[in-house]
Amino acid sequence: MTTHSSPAWPHCAHGAGPADPVGCRGIHVPGHTACVAHLPDTDRDTYLAGLTPGADIDHRGTPFTEGLLNQLLNAVRDPNTADPHLGDARFEEAQFSRDSNFAGAQFFGDALFDGARFSGVARFVGAQFLGIARFIGAQFSQAARFDEAQFSDAAWFVGARFSGAALFGGAQFSSNVRFSGAYFSRNARFDGVQFLMAWEWGPVMCEGRVVLSGAVFGAPVTLEIAAKEVVCTRTRWQSTATVRVRHASVDLGHAVLEAPLAVTAHPTPFTTSGGTLLDETVLSGSGAVRVVSVQGVDAAHLVLTDTDLSDCLFSGGFHLDQLRLEGRATLASTPTGWHRKGIAPVRWTRRRTLAEEHHWRAQTAGQPPVSAGTPPEPRRWRTGPHHPDPARTPDPDDVAALYRQLRKAFEDAKNEPGAADFYYGECEMRRHDRTGTPTAERRLLWAYWLLSGYGLRAGRALGWLAAAMLATIVLLMAFGLPAASPKQEVTGTVPPGGGTVTFVIDKQDPKNPTRDRFSSKRFDKALSVTLNSVVFRSSGQDLTTTGTYIEMTSRILEPALLALAVLAIRGRIKR
């Protein structure tokens, strides 16, 4: 049987008790005027005795106790395997008041549980569905266990509500599976599930974690998930996939990507296949998505769009230089405000940083551990998952390599400001690396940082330029300008017998001033010399020997500082 309509079936004439004043909706057992739950004992026994393994059964709307269900399943158990064997099984709108144990059952036909209600634990562990499996609108009040179940044909959980944990670990879906509008009040675990032909998965709503660790997606698929957490560690994507997420933190650690995978923060609430909006009211926030790990991932196939990477761990990833960051990628910033380093006040330059740098700085600064779930404090570095263990915290050499690879990813995306921040981070880590970076190189980096913030802080370079110009002016006024402009003297010798007169024009050496060094006139001259030095020009001003060396030094240093400032400005505005 492949298609089903939902005509009104003959209801059981017996009441279902005070809780159901309308009467039992159970379909009549063939040849009787009551459902199996309300048949007289002798008639029920006769009906059950007539069932054989693989028989078709129809118990729509029937209320089942745990004992009655066991009697039904025992009647169709295969004597060789001791597992229930059913043909077409129709349990639409059936009510299971206690635990329902379909573990190991084999459904050779279609298994229809649309609108069924499971008040206890629903066990389908190891069940085999050879036909269509439909749980459209089914309600699971406690745990729903489909561990190791096998679905050979389409499986529909559209609009199903799982009030307890949903466990599908190790299940196999050989055809398409649909969870559109499914609602999980707790965790939904799909560890090791094989989705061989699924092309649409969701949208689903989960108040807890959606765990897809170790799952295998064998065909192009689109997943739509609104949840607190989405765990895809060691998930294998054998074909192209798009994962649209809302609200959740996404863990992609050690996932295997054989084809392009796009993880996207969906901007608006999802719409179910029925055209209704998915109810996300229990998930507070704006729907922002955080990616917390791409460790061990070959990022050549990975695209992250509009995601928060503030706490994302990149260490151990491959081909990070080929990672594509689309839209707005949010990264953690340096701590805000003023801090004390020894006795000196310090203030961190605002820039985008990796979580690994935060973890290393928090560990070296001796920050106390922060309990899980505590929001980060803006004035502190963020602690890592293994804080304060130095053996499990990335070293500056490791973090520098991450910055270097991701800088190329930002450059390829034409995000020069982002790439500039990552270049700054790379230089910072090399400056602090005492094992892989030679001492001379670290000192050079220290000077580069001090003068211009690695060529990225225009304000710092301009500040040093102003200081250098001021120092040049003061030194010229004090030692560089002569007391007075030296006068030229002409001397010559007239031959006794007349004839050609030879003149020698000489000039006195400039003399250092002895008083009145800091006058307005001398300031104007010193300023002229200094300004010409900035643009690498000679002022032509008469200078003392000391002043000549002062001018030579300023003509080398000040244009370099000006160039660093221009370079820093260009790095911030280039696109």
Side-chain angles (χ1 to χ4, degrees), residues 183-305:
Y183 192 100
F184 301 89
S185 297
R186 296 187 181 180
N187 296 336
R189 301 194 65 94
F190 296 87
D191 312 66
V193 174
Q194 298 186 48
F195 299 97
L196 302 183
M197 293 296 294
W199 61 82
E200 55 180 346
W201 202 96
V204 301
M205 165 63 198
C206 181
E207 297 184 31
R209 308 170 71 193
V210 175
V211 182
L212 294 164
S213 299
V216 178
F217 289 89
V221 63
T222 298
L223 290 82
E224 295 182 333
I225 306 172
K228 288 184 178 179
E229 296 181 52
V230 177
V231 184
C232 296
T233 57
R234 303 189 184 279
T235 304
R236 180 179 293 272
W237 310 86
Q238 296 179 336
S239 188
T240 57
T242 300
V243 183
R244 301 190 182 110
V245 190
R246 286 182 54 77
H247 302 284
S249 62
V250 181
D251 187 349
L252 298 172
H254 303 283
V256 180
L257 313 183
E258 301 180 18
L261 170 67
V263 178
T264 304
H266 200 66
T268 57
F270 294 117
T271 303
T272 66
S273 57
T276 60
L277 291 179
L278 204 65
D279 185 9
E280 304 176 4
T281 53
V282 297
L283 298 176
S284 59
S286 61
V289 175
R290 299 185 307 120
V291 177
V292 297
S293 176
V294 294
Q295 290 182 299
V297 176
D298 187 345
H301 293 303
L302 183 59
V303 181
L304 303 178
T305 304

Side-chain angles (χ1 to χ4, degrees), residues 220-450:
V221 63
T222 298
L223 290 82
E224 295 182 333
I225 306 172
K228 288 184 178 179
E229 296 181 52
V230 177
V231 184
C232 296
T233 57
R234 303 189 184 279
T235 304
R236 180 179 293 272
W237 310 86
Q238 296 179 336
S239 188
T240 57
T242 300
V243 183
R244 301 190 182 110
V245 190
R246 286 182 54 77
H247 302 284
S249 62
V250 181
D251 187 349
L252 298 172
H254 303 283
V256 180
L257 313 183
E258 301 180 18
L261 170 67
V263 178
T264 304
H266 200 66
T268 57
F270 294 117
T271 303
T272 66
S273 57
T276 60
L277 291 179
L278 204 65
D279 185 9
E280 304 176 4
T281 53
V282 297
L283 298 176
S284 59
S286 61
V289 175
R290 299 185 307 120
V291 177
V292 297
S293 176
V294 294
Q295 290 182 299
V297 176
D298 187 345
H301 293 303
L302 183 59
V303 181
L304 303 178
T305 304
D306 294 328
T307 54
D308 185 347
L309 304 176
S310 299
D311 293 307
C312 186
L313 298 177
F314 292 92
S315 55
F318 305 96
H319 298 132
L320 293 175
D321 57 326
Q322 300 179 42
L323 172 67
R324 291 184 58 187
L325 300 175
E326 304 289 347
R328 183 175 182 178
T330 305
L331 290 145
S333 183
T334 51
T336 59
W338 288 93
H339 304 266
R340 179 174 296 178
K341 190 174 182 180
I343 61 174
V346 295
R347 187 174 183 273
W348 298 103
T349 303
R350 301 290 291 174
R351 60 183 172 90
R352 300 176 181 91
T353 55
L354 293 180
E356 282 85 353
E357 180 181 354
H358 273 259
H359 300 165
W360 175 78
R361 289 189 181 274
Q363 189 267 325
T364 55
Q367 289 183 196
V370 178
S371 59
T374 303
E377 185 178 345
R379 291 182 53 83
R380 290 179 175 269
W381 297 100
R382 302 184 183 204
T383 57
H386 306 297
H387 184 81
D389 185 0
R392 305 182 69 180
T393 301
D395 295 326
D397 188 29
D398 301 322
V399 183
L402 297 177
Y403 273 121
R404 184 162 47 252
Q405 294 183 70
L406 290 169
R407 173 167 59 91
K408 186 177 183 302
F410 275 95
E411 290 173 346
D412 291 343
K414 306 301 181 183
N415 187 348
E416 293 295 335
D421 280 347
F422 275 32
Y423 174 71
Y424 192 104
E426 177 190 352
C427 291
E428 276 286 277
M429 293 296 98
R430 290 170 55 199
R431 182 167 68 92
H432 289 286
D433 178 23
R434 297 181 177 274
T435 57
T437 306
T439 302
E441 184 176 339
R442 286 194 293 108
R443 290 176 178 173
L444 182 62
L445 286 168
W446 185 89
Y448 194 23
W449 164 78
L450 185 64

Side-chain angles (χ1 to χ4, degrees), residues 482 484-488 507-510 542:
S485 297
K487 297 179 173 57
Q488 293 182 341
K507 189 175 183 179
Q508 300 178 356
D509 292 334
D542 290 324

